[in-house]
Amino acid sequence: MDEQPDLVEGAKAVLAMNDRGIYTSPSIELYPHQWLWDSCFTAIGLRNYDIDRAMTEIRSLFEGQWHNGMIPNMIFSPDPKYARDRNIWNSIINPNSPDGLATSGITQPPMLAEAIVQIGKKLKAAERRSWYKEVLPTLLAYHQWIYNERDPHNEGLALQIHPWETGLDNTPPWMQEMHEHQLSLWIRVVKSLKLTPLFTVFRRDTKHVPAGQRMHTIDALGLFSTQRRLRRKGYDINKVLKHSLFAIEDLTFNSVLVRANQHLQDIAKYIRQDIPEDMLLQMKNTETALEHLWDAYTGQYYSRDFVTHKLIKEASVATLLPLYAGTISHDRAKQLVRLLENQHVFATDYPIPSVPANSPWFNPVCYWQGPAWVNINWLIIDGLERSGFPDHATALKESTLDMISQNGFYEYFNPLTGEAAGVPNFSWTAALAIDLTKN
Ligand code: GLC
């Protein structure tokens, strides 16, 4: 990739602006706290020019690790002005929550191993060994937690209990399930009596971003009430599963898990440490089980209901993420690449739309229901490179960088016009622009 000095300097300025010392907030006003996969993507960018700061970003995530191994999707800023955010989760109600830090009670796609390895690639052998030695116990405990708590029947697939755990908050498959099975009675009443404007005034995001670019208020209320229910169960997975709350084996999460498991094994091998035998079996199991999410009829992958094992056949960009997992057959990879080439599906002028252009859900500016997101593009570029489609990877890298240089470091982009949407000065857009330019 040609160096783009202006783009790189601009991106560094965004990361400097969002730098909170030991972590980088995704955006200064709307997202002041630390998010798990955001910090991983940010570290992947930082490693290109400030390796120490990249390591600090990862170490600060470790601080939030629960005693059972979970790494939460959010670690809250201790600033007194955010007391309300911390109280919403009140993580202290769970005995496993870390001492002296307020966090959420759920996780996010396990991008940690990827970030660790990407940092490792920039280190000389001896430094890499000590980096891997330092991080392996924490990483291993996190993956063990995923299997202990989220794969209770040893099926190979990890289940998620809140749309926030997928990172794609209002993605169609989850919204479909929510509207069918999970919407509380009071929200149904709000919906049918058309009382949503009463609640819209309480939203913080729409004070920063036009309402049409965010999720619908009913969906936002659904996410909020799901969080309240999890909190009532003390974020205890046994109680959550007993009460048939959300339990979905999400495609994004599990594709990232497959790749993260490979990285975990590579890290252990590099420093000649063994991974427990049962973990190795579980990890192998995940690779095999990913194929259970394939639907031959539509030629796509989907998320699956944990209880009924039914695929949730609502298309989204997640269908392409098994390319990133890297374990699927060449034949299936080819079928996915065909979707990527099809202008009615994912080949919009500014790919990749988070929902296929021909889906009834598609809305080019509505959050995870259409816009293109740079982190997803990064994952798919990486997957295409490793799956034998280097030209597709280069084309996607170029169109992603064009979209950013023309429009700025925004949270997401209209895939039809490239226009910016969401908040400006968004950390992972900046970080990954640097990474795509330099590697
Ligand atoms: C939103 C996104 C999620 C991200 C978070 C912070 O919730 O959907 O993926 O981690 O914001 O940027």
Side-chain angles (χ1 to χ4, degrees):
M1 231 7 57
D2 293 342
E3 275 280 350
Q4 301 197 31
D6 293 351
L7 189 74
V8 170
E9 286 317 307
K12 286 184 185 173
V14 168
L15 294 181
M17 181 196 305
N18 295 340
D19 189 351
R20 307 258 167 165
I22 56 165
Y23 75 93
T24 311
S25 57
S27 108
I28 240 169
E29 275 154 19
L30 187 56
Y31 307 109
H33 309 292
Q34 181 171 26
W35 268 262
L36 170 53
W37 80 337
D38 296 67
S39 272
C40 293
F41 291 121
T42 296
I44 290 172
L46 283 169
R47 76 185 171 124
N48 293 290
Y49 64 99
D50 190 346
I51 193 86
D52 290 335
R53 184 60 187 78
M55 289 162 131
T56 304
E57 190 78 23
I58 298 303
R59 289 188 184 113
S60 65
L61 281 173
F62 289 3
E63 303 280 307
Q65 184 165 45
W66 283 33
H67 299 306
N68 59 3
M70 181 180 81
I71 311 242
N73 78 323
M74 290 173 77
I75 302 174
F76 291 102
S77 154
D79 192 320
K81 71 176 179 221
Y82 300 123
R84 190 172 154 259
D85 294 0
R86 293 190 291 272
N87 291 342
I88 287 176
W89 283 94
N90 198 20
S91 53
I92 202 157
I93 57 174
N94 187 301
N96 286 312
S97 65
D99 312 319
L101 258 187
T103 77
S104 69
I106 56 173
T107 191
Q108 231 178 5
M111 281 301 299
L112 205 49
E114 178 75 79
I116 289 168
V117 166
Q118 293 297 346
I119 290 173
K121 281 189 189 165
K122 300 282 176 191
L123 296 168
K124 299 212 179 71
E127 291 170 322
R128 190 186 297 177
R129 266 198 303 277
S130 61
W131 169 238
Y132 285 175
K133 275 193 186 141
E134 174 191 337
V135 298
L136 183 62
T138 310
L139 186 64
L140 190 60
Y142 177 41
H143 282 233
Q144 278 172 324
W145 169 80
I146 293 177
Y147 284 104
N148 290 344
E149 291 223 338
R150 299 310 187 83
D151 184 15
H153 302 158
N154 250 317
E155 295 175 327
L157 295 170
L159 69 95
Q160 285 66 57
I161 57 177
H162 193 292
W164 285 328
E165 289 202 307
T166 74
L168 319 187
D169 308 5
N170 67 336
T171 187
W174 282 76
M175 291 304 96
Q176 162 79 20
E177 283 296 291
M178 186 170 85
H179 284 273
E180 245 174 55
H181 307 294
Q182 297 288 340
L183 224 44
S184 318
L185 182 63
W186 70 271
I187 303 180
R188 289 180 197 278
V189 172
V190 169
K191 191 175 169 189
S192 63
L193 297 181
K194 301 199 168 42
L195 297 174
T196 40
L198 291 179
F199 293 88
T200 307
V201 295
F202 294 110
R203 291 181 66 172
R204 187 161 64 183
D205 58 345
T206 50
K207 295 194 175 61
H208 297 274
V209 178
Q213 296 181 9
R214 301 310 277 187
M215 68 175 78
H216 309 296
T217 294
I218 289 295
D219 294 352
L221 289 174
L223 263 60
F224 176 72
S225 90
T226 304
Q227 186 273 333
R228 301 301 285 181
R229 288 195 232 163
L230 295 177
R231 180 181 140 149
R232 282 201 287 278
K233 305 287 166 266
Y235 313 116
D236 175 330
I237 192 66
N238 295 320
K239 291 188 188 150
V240 169
L241 290 179
K242 225 184 266 158
H243 288 84
S244 54
L245 303 179
F246 266 124
I248 293 176
E249 293 157 337
D250 180 72
L251 181 53
T252 304
F253 193 104
N254 281 283
S255 300
V256 172
L257 178 60
V258 169
R259 183 70 181 138
N261 285 335
Q262 295 156 3
H263 284 316
L264 174 61
Q265 291 175 74
D266 289 346
I267 292 169
K269 204 160 146 202
Y270 199 79
I271 53 175
R272 302 214 173 87
Q273 292 204 11
D274 290 332
I275 298 206
E277 209 48 49
D278 57 335
M279 267 287 279
L280 289 172
L281 284 174
Q282 281 166 316
M283 295 194 294
K284 190 79 211 133
N285 218 355
T286 305
E287 289 183 13
T288 318
L290 193 67
E291 293 310 310
H292 299 155
L293 304 181
W294 174 257
D295 174 56
Y297 184 67
T298 53
Q300 292 201 43
Y301 288 92
Y302 297 100
S303 296
R304 188 173 85 166
D305 186 292
F306 167 71
V307 178
T308 64
H309 277 189
K310 262 174 75 178
L311 295 178
I312 305 165
K313 293 198 195 169
E314 285 300 340
S316 81
V317 72
T319 195
L320 301 176
L321 287 175
L323 286 168
Y324 171 71
T327 48
I328 63 175
S329 68
H330 193 64
D331 185 51
R332 286 202 179 157
K334 265 209 301 232
Q335 294 197 54
L336 297 182
V337 168
R338 256 181 251 133
L339 297 175
L340 197 56
E341 291 169 341
N342 184 334
Q343 60 182 32
H344 302 296
V345 188
F346 291 118
T348 51
D349 283 350
Y350 294 84
I352 303 171
S354 43
V355 162
N358 61 359
S359 157
W361 291 83
F362 179 75
N363 172 342
V365 295
C366 181
Y367 213 40
W368 290 99
Q369 295 186 356
W373 289 75
V374 173
N375 65 330
I376 297 294
N377 285 13
W378 188 94
L379 294 172
I380 293 171
I381 290 165
D382 183 71
L384 287 166
E385 269 164 8
R386 284 181 291 106
S387 314
F389 300 94
D391 296 344
H392 290 77
T394 306
L396 183 56
K397 200 186 253 196
E398 279 168 2
S399 66
T400 306
L401 286 170
D402 280 351
M403 182 166 80
I404 303 170
S405 17
Q406 286 164 24
N407 301 287
F409 302 103
Y410 273 79
E411 192 179 4
Y412 43 92
F413 300 86
N414 180 326
L416 306 176
T417 62
E419 273 167 284
V423 287
N425 302 317
F426 191 66
S427 291
W428 81 41
T429 304
L432 298 176
I434 298 173
D435 199 66
L436 291 175
T437 310
K438 300 224 179 243
N439 296 288

